[in-house]
Amino acid sequence: MHRIFTDGGFGRVIRAGDSRRFRVDLKNNRQAVVDAAIASATVGAISFNPIYKCRVKQRECFSIKSYSHVLTLRAITLFLSRRFRINPRGRDSIVKEIIETLSDSTPMYIIRRDIQSFYETLPIAAVKEHVLYGTFIPTRIKEFLKMYFATFSPNLTGVPRGMGLSSAIAELAMGKTDQKIRELPGVYKYFRYSDDILIFSTIQPEKIDASLAGTLPPGMKFNPEKSSEIEIHESRRNAARILVLDYLGYKFSFSNAIGDKSPRKVVVEISDRKVKKLKSKIICVFKSFSKNKDFSLFRDRIAFLASNYFAYRKGVSMVRDSPYAKSGIYYNYHLCGTYQGEARMPHECRELKSLDGFFNSLMRSNSSSFRPLFTGVAGNYRLKTMERISFFKGYQKKMMVRFNSDKVSKIKSAWRNA
């Protein structure tokens, strides 16, 4: 435990934006803040109060005020992830394997399932037993885990949303379920990203379903509204059609034809749902501008959405290489393109060109309620300034913007507070 609750141990879990979020001065008083966390983690009574609750997408999320305890729980999460080798597959790795699998011209079925109320219905009795009474967990960490469960999960079901430790607990709890699904007859590819499951099968979905529901822990079930199946089984070339799979923010378009000697062509784009979400954010930015008339902030917000930036790595990934990762319109969707076997053609960016058209129509169209903001002498200046910003160019040229954490928070407030 001496390597966990130390200056170095806590240094690994400090994140950009913590100073603003938790009102601590890490720039000038970092050592004092870390020393306080070490003292809190190693001696004295444990309590996570006060606890904050909020609702995100109609789900209750939790957070705690004490920065010392936040760092302690992050350090414990890192310890458990290493101790139990919790290393869920990353989004890029999954997407690459989906493209490779879809490229195969053999018959297949694709089964999409979503676990309903995933965090709220997660059975944790076995995990609690494992981490609270195993001899391989240091005593002080057990004390924090006991308080975590007593505070947020007093029953044998459910973990709190919004806390990093919950993700590690969930991965431990779902380990046997993942293995059971992989071993089902007919399943040859299985992916789970949190509650979102994707299966590639050699047999009909109804035959998989007969066993699939039984693999879930008691109390958990699939959401029928988010369940779907795709059949790739067309042997007649003149009857083939293009099918679409939406997963992890990408849209995969491919033919349902089978039997070709050459690999199937797979077109990968940003999903319609993500594009719609971007449009909603753009409208929020326009609405905010119409109220505060702050053109500089308006420009920064659109540039942020249409460009790329450096983001601080979260969770266990932050100990690898640089603590920063590139994020944004290109780096979040850099696997877009047209694939056929080993050949990859550049992304045509049709959805991003359409997004540029949508953005410009809000400024220029006679039917837009925002057009008066871009008329007259001042409006013409604004139009010329905004013409330099493009979602298509931001993607194609990998354009970068740089804002400090306080500025990013102000930028995002336009859609966070909408």
Side-chain angles (χ1 to χ4, degrees):
M1 193 177 73
H2 62 282
R3 292 177 295 176
I4 303 167
F5 300 150
T6 62
D7 195 337
F10 284 128
R12 294 186 182 92
V13 295
I14 289 175
R15 299 174 186 167
D18 280 356
S19 292
R20 172 190 50 79
R21 182 181 176 188
F22 297 100
R23 298 182 181 179
V24 293
D25 189 353
L26 289 169
K27 183 177 181 180
N28 298 310
N29 299 319
R30 181 189 183 280
Q31 192 59 55
V33 171
V34 172
D35 287 345
I38 293 172
S40 173
T42 54
V43 297
I46 300 171
S47 173
F48 294 130
N49 290 318
I51 298 168
Y52 296 114
K53 298 179 183 180
C54 66
R55 298 193 73 82
V56 179
K57 296 182 180 179
Q58 300 181 339
R59 299 290 188 188
E60 195 171 54
C61 295
F62 296 81
S63 61
I64 55 180
K65 182 178 181 180
S66 169
Y67 186 54
S68 292
H69 286 152
V70 168
L71 290 181
T72 300
L73 288 181
R74 288 179 185 172
I76 291 173
T77 301
L78 183 56
F79 169 81
L80 293 178
S81 297
R82 288 173 167 175
R83 179 64 183 79
F84 295 110
R85 299 181 180 178
I86 302 171
N87 189 26
R89 290 189 63 176
R91 177 170 171 260
D92 282 1
S93 173
I94 293 174
V95 170
K96 288 176 182 178
E97 190 164 351
I98 289 173
I99 294 169
E100 181 182 343
T101 305
L102 289 173
S103 298
D104 192 340
S105 294
T106 59
M108 67 182 77
Y109 299 91
I110 305 173
I111 304 166
R112 178 86 179 270
R113 294 292 183 267
D114 179 89
I115 302 176
Q116 189 169 325
S117 301
F118 178 67
Y119 284 102
E120 291 77 10
T121 61
L122 188 73
I124 57 173
V127 175
K128 288 174 72 171
E129 179 78 19
H130 198 41
V131 300
L132 294 182
Y133 302 104
T135 58
F136 41 80
I137 304 291
T139 301
R140 188 61 176 175
I141 290 181
K142 288 182 182 179
E143 291 173 356
F144 271 97
L145 288 171
K146 286 178 182 177
M147 182 55 66
Y148 164 85
F149 287 122
T151 303
F152 300 105
S153 305
N155 302 314
L156 299 179
T157 301
V159 290
R161 289 178 181 264
M163 304 186 70
L165 181 55
S166 297
S167 297
I169 297 298
E171 289 303 313
L172 281 174
M174 291 296 293
K176 290 183 178 180
T177 296
D178 292 336
Q179 189 59 36
K180 287 179 182 178
I181 295 177
R182 289 190 185 95
E183 293 173 353
L184 289 178
V187 172
Y188 71 96
K189 292 286 184 180
Y190 166 73
F191 308 99
R192 181 179 61 80
Y193 197 83
S194 186
D195 58 354
D196 206 347
I197 288 174
L198 190 68
I199 295 171
F200 287 82
S201 169
T202 57
I203 60 177
Q204 292 90 339
E206 55 268 24
K207 293 182 179 179
I208 295 290
D209 272 334
S211 304
L212 187 59
T215 63
L216 290 180
M220 302 190 87
K221 61 181 180 180
F222 294 116
N223 186 347
E225 296 180 2
K226 295 184 179 181
S227 297
S228 62
E229 297 87 26
I230 295 175
E231 179 179 343
I232 305 176
H233 237 274
E234 184 54 72
S235 58
R236 301 166 298 171
R237 288 196 174 185
N238 59 350
R241 56 193 179 90
I242 299 299
L243 305 178
V244 172
L245 168 67
D246 188 326
Y247 195 64
L248 299 185
Y250 286 97
K251 179 169 72 173
F252 306 84
S253 302
F254 49 91
S255 170
N256 67 339
I258 61 170
D260 289 343
K261 294 182 179 179
S262 58
R264 180 183 290 114
K265 183 171 76 171
V266 182
V267 178
V268 184
E269 301 169 292
I270 302 174
S271 74
D272 295 342
R273 187 172 63 87
K274 291 296 183 181
V275 172
K276 184 178 180 180
K277 190 173 181 179
L278 278 170
K279 288 182 177 179
S280 296
K281 288 181 177 180
I282 291 171
I283 291 173
C284 288
V285 172
F286 272 85
K287 287 182 176 179
S288 179
F289 178 41
S290 68
K291 293 178 181 178
N292 61 33
K293 301 299 188 296
D294 188 337
F295 177 69
S296 177
L297 180 58
F298 169 77
R299 180 196 60 217
D300 288 346
R301 282 170 167 165
I302 296 297
F304 182 84
L305 289 173
S307 305
N308 304 280
Y309 50 92
F310 287 96
Y312 201 78
R313 295 181 187 269
K314 295 183 178 181
V316 296
S317 63
M318 57 187 254
V319 301
R320 302 178 308 195
D321 302 321
S322 169
Y324 291 93
K326 293 177 180 177
S327 186
I329 195 67
Y330 171 78
Y331 291 100
N332 287 353
Y333 307 102
H334 66 102
L335 294 177
C336 288
T338 300
Y339 297 79
Q340 191 154 23
E342 295 182 358
R344 177 185 177 182
M345 289 166 278
H347 182 35
E348 295 180 1
C349 299
R350 291 175 296 185
E351 73 278 35
L352 295 174
K353 293 174 183 176
S354 174
L355 200 57
D356 280 337
F358 171 79
F359 164 60
N360 282 286
S361 70
L362 291 177
M363 294 189 293
R364 298 175 179 276
S365 174
N366 290 331
S367 62
S368 172
S369 61
F370 303 110
R371 187 173 183 273
L373 296 168
F374 302 91
T375 55
V377 177
N380 285 332
Y381 165 77
R382 292 167 182 168
L383 280 174
K384 289 181 180 179
T385 301
M386 299 311 294
E387 282 175 352
R388 303 189 191 108
I389 301 175
S390 162
F391 287 85
F392 167 64
K393 291 180 181 178
Y395 185 96
Q396 193 177 55
K397 296 183 178 181
K398 306 176 189 176
M399 298 177 70
M400 301 292 295
V401 292
R402 292 179 182 272
F403 300 108
N404 63 39
S405 58
D406 289 336
K407 187 67 173 182
V408 170
S409 179
K410 191 172 184 179
I411 285 171
K412 291 182 176 182
S413 66
W415 51 85
R416 277 180 174 169
N417 299 333

